Amino acid sequence: MQTSEDFELLHQIKAGDKKAFETCFNKHWPLLYALAERLLKSADDAKDVVQMVYISLWGRREQLDITGPLQHYLLQAVRYQSLKRLKEILDRPENLDRVHEHYLPVLNSIWHKLHESDLFHEIETQLETLPPRTREMFLLSRRQQLSITEIAERMGVSEKTVRNQLHLALKTLRHHIAIALVVADLFVC
């Protein structure tokens, strides 16, 4: 149920009132930014995501049909956009160090909490589709939290090989990992 303030604000935004849009932006920005930053572990990505949500809100203002609280709608939009951004981040090889440093530790910390969930089983199933050496490298990085250098030394391969194999694993698992990180934020954190 929307508050009368949200209802009026949305009505004004739908009518193209830039002041009402600015009020909405200023009112909800801190919470939306905090959520995006917590999910994405990056101030720049968080700003981009929240700005995309507001750009979309303004661009679709005439078609908006929000029946629940505006804040909940905006939070869901930020979660959705953050999930999309996480998939993009996990898909790019140049982000491997960032993924290894920021996202895999979060996944490690929630792994046992998700152990009984369908999501955990989906990730495990996807892991089984990886080549054995790739799976081993990924598991060393996740379960034993070894660095790329440590994995390379342990397996007797170059760091570049480890990077490439971890990228392959992340590309295969990116959808499930991104969902796990968002689910963790919603239910665990």
Side-chain angles (χ1 to χ4, degrees), residues 10 13 21 24-25 28-29 31-33 35-36 39-40 45-61 64 66 70-85:
L10 275 172
I13 291 170
F21 181 76
C24 175
F25 182 90
H28 296 288
W29 172 270
L31 180 62
L32 301 177
Y33 172 78
L35 173 61
L39 290 171
L40 298 168
D45 285 331
K47 287 176 188 172
D48 288 347
V49 160
V50 176
Q51 286 172 355
M52 285 176 17
V53 167
Y54 277 109
I55 288 168
S56 175
L57 180 72
W58 183 254
R60 298 180 311 108
R61 67 186 174 277
L64 287 177
I66 302 171
L70 177 59
Q71 181 174 310
H72 291 166
Y73 173 85
L74 293 170
L75 286 168
Q76 283 301 104
V78 166
R79 284 186 186 103
Y80 175 76
Q81 289 297 330
S82 294
L83 180 61
K84 282 178 59 177
R85 180 60 61 95

Side-chain angles (χ1 to χ4, degrees), residues 56-174:
S56 175
L57 180 72
W58 183 254
R60 298 180 311 108
R61 67 186 174 277
E62 294 171 358
Q63 294 85 29
L64 287 177
D65 186 26
I66 302 171
T67 56
L70 177 59
Q71 181 174 310
H72 291 166
Y73 173 85
L74 293 170
L75 286 168
Q76 283 301 104
V78 166
R79 284 186 186 103
Y80 175 76
Q81 289 297 330
S82 294
L83 180 61
K84 282 178 59 177
R85 180 60 61 95
L86 277 170
K87 288 180 187 178
E88 292 169 9
I89 290 166
L90 292 169
D91 195 33
R92 289 184 289 196
E94 65 270 16
N95 290 327
L96 186 58
D97 288 333
R98 178 178 168 196
V99 169
H100 199 270
E101 182 179 336
H102 295 291
Y103 299 120
L104 289 182
V106 173
L107 188 61
N108 288 338
S109 72
I110 64 165
W111 198 259
H112 71 280
K113 294 175 185 176
L114 294 173
H115 189 75
E116 297 303 316
S117 74
D118 290 338
L119 181 60
F120 176 83
H121 295 295
E122 288 178 35
I123 293 172
E124 286 290 322
T125 300
Q126 290 298 314
L127 272 173
E128 293 302 316
T129 68
L130 296 173
R133 300 261 304 166
T134 304
R135 182 174 51 248
E136 182 180 358
M137 289 178 194
F138 179 78
L139 292 174
L140 286 172
S141 76
R142 187 183 58 78
R143 290 193 178 140
Q144 296 183 23
Q145 298 181 10
L146 297 181
S147 69
I148 290 171
T149 304
E150 292 168 327
I151 294 169
E153 288 173 4
R154 180 177 282 192
M155 297 187 74
V157 296
S158 71
E159 288 184 29
K160 183 174 180 166
T161 298
V162 173
R163 285 180 185 284
N164 290 341
Q165 294 304 305
L166 286 177
H167 174 69
L168 175 67
L170 290 169
K171 191 171 182 176
T172 302
L173 301 171
R174 72 179 182 262

